[in-house]
Amino acid sequence: MTHRIAVIPGDGIGIEVIAEAVRVLEWVGGVELHHLPWSAEHYLATGQTIPPDGYDTLRSFDAVLVGALGDPRVPDNRHARDILLGTRFELDLYVNQRPVRLLDERLCPLKGRTRDEVDFVVFRENTEGLYVGIGGRFKPGTDDEVAVQEEINTFKGVNRIVRHAFAFARSRGLRRVCMADKSNAMTHGHALWQRVFDEVRAEYADVEASHLYIDALSMFLVQDPGRFDVIVTNNLFGDIITDIGGALQGGLGMAASGNIHPGRTSMFEPVHGSAPPLAGKNVANPIGAILSVALMLETLGRVDDATRVERAVASAVQANEVTADIGGHLGTRDAGEAVVRRLL
Ligand code: NAD
Ligand code: IPM
Ligand code: MN
C-alpha cells in the first residue's frame, strides 16, 4: 500500500530536519512524496502564502509532513498563520497529539528521573481557544490603544478533544487522564471545560480522571512528571506545556507532534520552530521531525513501520549518535544517517 504524502519543509531548520525525516520515510517505503514550496522564501518571492486551492490540495493527500514556519523577514508571521494555523483550522485538525517520552535517562534535565517517569501524552485542543484570531486593535499605536483577543470555547470543540483523550487512554490501557484549565480565573470559558470533563469522566469509570489548574500542572511537570499518562488542555496552554515536555525529553529538538482529525488527512510536524540562529548550519536535531514521521505512520495504521522508526531513533540516541544539543557530536545529516542505518 502506498500513501501519498505532501511535504512542506518550510523555513529555517525546518528544511534541514525534514530532509532527514524524508530520508527515513523513503527507507521505510510505501510512500509517494510531493514537495510543496510554501515558506517565507516563497511568500517573499511570489506574494502568496498558500494558493487559493491550497487546503484542497492538502486534503487530496493521505497526510502532510511539515518542518517549521517562521522567518524574521516576515515579522507578522503571516505565512505561518496561513500555512500552519490555517491548515489546522481548515482541515479541522482538532487533536494536537504531542507525546513526551524520555529515550535515555541522561537526556532528562531533572535529577534522577527514569524513562518510565517521563512518558505521557498531551492532547492540545487545536482549532479554537485564543488562536481563532477574533479581536482587533482600536486606536493602534496611541496611548489610547485597546487590543482585544477573544478566547473561543465551544461545547463541540471541548467535548471532542476531552473525549478523544479518554478514548485514547482506554485504547492504550493508560490509567490516568488529567485535564488542565484555569477555571478559577477564566470563570466563563473554562467553566465549559469543567462541565464537559465531568460529563465525560462519568462515562469512563475505568480511567482515573483528575483536574489541575494549569499553573499547578506546570509545577508538577517539573517536580513529578511520573504522575501523568494523558493530559488534555486548551490550545494555548497545550502549546506552552509541550515546550516544557520537549525540555523533559532532552530539548525541543526531540519533540514530535500530530495535528489530527481521526480518519481524515492529518498533518505532522516537530514541536519546535524554525530556530533562525541555527538555520543552515547542519546542527539542528532531526529527531523531533523523524519521530513525527513515526507518529504519522502510526496514525496511517502502519504501526509496525512506526515502531521500526521509533526503535531506530532510540538505538541511535542510546549510542549517542546524535546532535550536540543532546550531547552528541554529529551534524543534522549524520544524525539522520545514524537513524537510517538502524532501519536496515
Ligand atoms: P524554536 O523552536 O524555533 O527555537 C527555540 C530554541 O530551541 C532554538 O533557538 C534552539 O536553541 C532550540 N531548538 C529548537 N529546535 C531545535 C532543534 N531541532 N535542534 C536543536 N535545537 C533546537 O522557537 P523560537 O525561537 O521561539 O521561534 C523561531 C521561529 O519559529 C518563530 O518565527 C516562531 O514563530 C516559529 N515557530 C514555528 C513553529 C512551527 O512551525 N510549528 C513552532 C514554534 C515556533
Ligand atoms: C507550535 C507553534 C505554533 C503554535 C506557532 C508557530 C503559531 O508554537 O506549533 O507549537 O503556537 O501553535
Ligand atoms: Mn509551540
Side-chain angles (χ1 to χ4, degrees):
M1 169 156 196
T2 300
H3 285 109
R4 292 181 67 248
I5 313 293
V7 180
I8 306 173
D11 303 328
I13 64 166
I15 298 167
E16 295 160 83
V17 298
I18 287 303
E20 302 315 310
V22 158
R23 219 137 60 89
V24 166
L25 204 44
E26 282 169 339
W27 267 98
V28 170
V31 288
E32 190 185 300
L33 303 177
H34 295 259
H35 277 73
L36 299 170
W38 309 341
S39 61
E41 196 66 53
H42 183 74
Y43 170 55
L44 292 167
T46 65
Q48 196 171 61
T49 57
I50 179 165
D53 61 351
Y55 303 121
D56 282 336
T57 301
L58 295 182
R59 278 187 202 98
S60 74
F61 290 93
D62 293 307
V64 183
L65 178 65
V66 177
L69 294 149
D71 186 303
R73 293 170 301 167
V74 187
D76 65 359
N77 221 17
R78 219 198 129 117
H79 68 303
R81 212 165 56 234
D82 289 355
I83 300 166
L84 190 72
L85 300 181
T87 301
R88 291 178 185 168
F89 293 135
E90 293 295 324
L91 273 63
D92 199 28
L93 307 176
Y94 64 92
V95 176
N96 194 322
Q97 181 174 344
R98 297 188 156 184
V100 178
R101 189 177 298 140
L102 182 63
L103 296 181
D104 191 293
E105 283 169 28
R106 76 177 191 286
L107 299 185
C108 190
L110 307 177
K111 278 194 301 261
R113 293 296 165 187
T114 58
R115 287 183 65 186
D116 51 274
E117 281 175 287
V118 183
D119 188 0
F120 59 91
V121 106
V122 177
F123 287 106
R124 164 187 178 187
E125 200 294 320
N126 212 27
T127 50
E128 47 186 53
L130 271 162
Y131 276 72
V132 295
I134 295 178
R137 293 169 72 187
F138 180 51
K139 301 184 182 176
T142 73
D143 289 353
D144 293 323
E145 177 163 350
V146 178
V148 174
Q149 189 100 36
E150 294 290 353
E151 185 184 271
I152 300 301
N153 298 277
T154 69
F155 175 79
K156 174 185 166 186
V158 178
N159 187 49
R160 65 185 181 174
I161 191 68
V162 169
R163 280 187 183 280
H164 187 86
F166 275 97
F168 181 91
R170 182 179 274 171
S171 73
R172 303 292 171 103
L174 299 171
R175 206 156 42 83
R176 300 163 297 186
V177 172
C178 179
M179 188 275 275
D181 64 17
K182 190 67 192 172
S183 50
N184 49 351
M186 315 214 30
T187 51
H188 308 304
H190 296 192
L192 176 58
W193 281 78
Q194 288 287 321
R195 172 202 148 189
V196 168
F197 188 62
D198 285 343
E199 286 173 13
V200 178
R201 74 191 291 179
E203 296 173 32
Y204 284 86
D206 52 320
V207 176
E208 202 181 292
S210 66
H211 167 263
L212 285 171
Y213 298 121
I214 190 67
D215 43 357
L217 178 123
S218 305
M219 183 266 298
F220 282 124
L221 279 179
V222 175
Q223 199 176 63
D224 185 17
R227 67 161 59 211
F228 300 110
D229 291 328
V230 174
I231 295 170
V232 60
T233 191
N234 71 21
N235 207 337
L236 182 65
F237 296 163
D239 175 49
I240 296 167
I241 65 169
T242 52
D243 269 34
I244 302 177
L248 293 175
Q249 298 169 82
L252 258 188
M254 299 297 286
S257 86
N259 304 268
I260 299 169
H261 187 123
R264 293 200 204 159
T265 304
S266 296
M267 172 172 78
F268 299 82
E269 48 163 350
V271 172
H272 67 74
S274 56
L278 307 187
K281 296 184 176 158
N282 191 37
V283 297
N285 185 346
I287 289 180
I290 294 171
L291 290 176
S292 300
V293 159
L295 186 55
M296 177 173 92
L297 291 166
E298 181 190 314
T299 307
L300 289 169
R302 292 167 57 175
V303 178
D304 291 347
D305 287 336
T307 305
R308 202 171 145 219
V309 173
E310 283 168 358
R311 288 210 177 119
V313 168
S315 159
V317 166
Q318 277 141 27
N320 205 29
E321 291 185 30
V322 292
T323 46
D325 55 301
I326 55 167
H329 54 272
L330 301 183
T332 307
R333 282 189 294 273
D334 288 342
E337 179 62 32
V339 175
V340 167
R341 211 174 330 115
R342 289 172 164 83
L343 290 168
L344 303 180

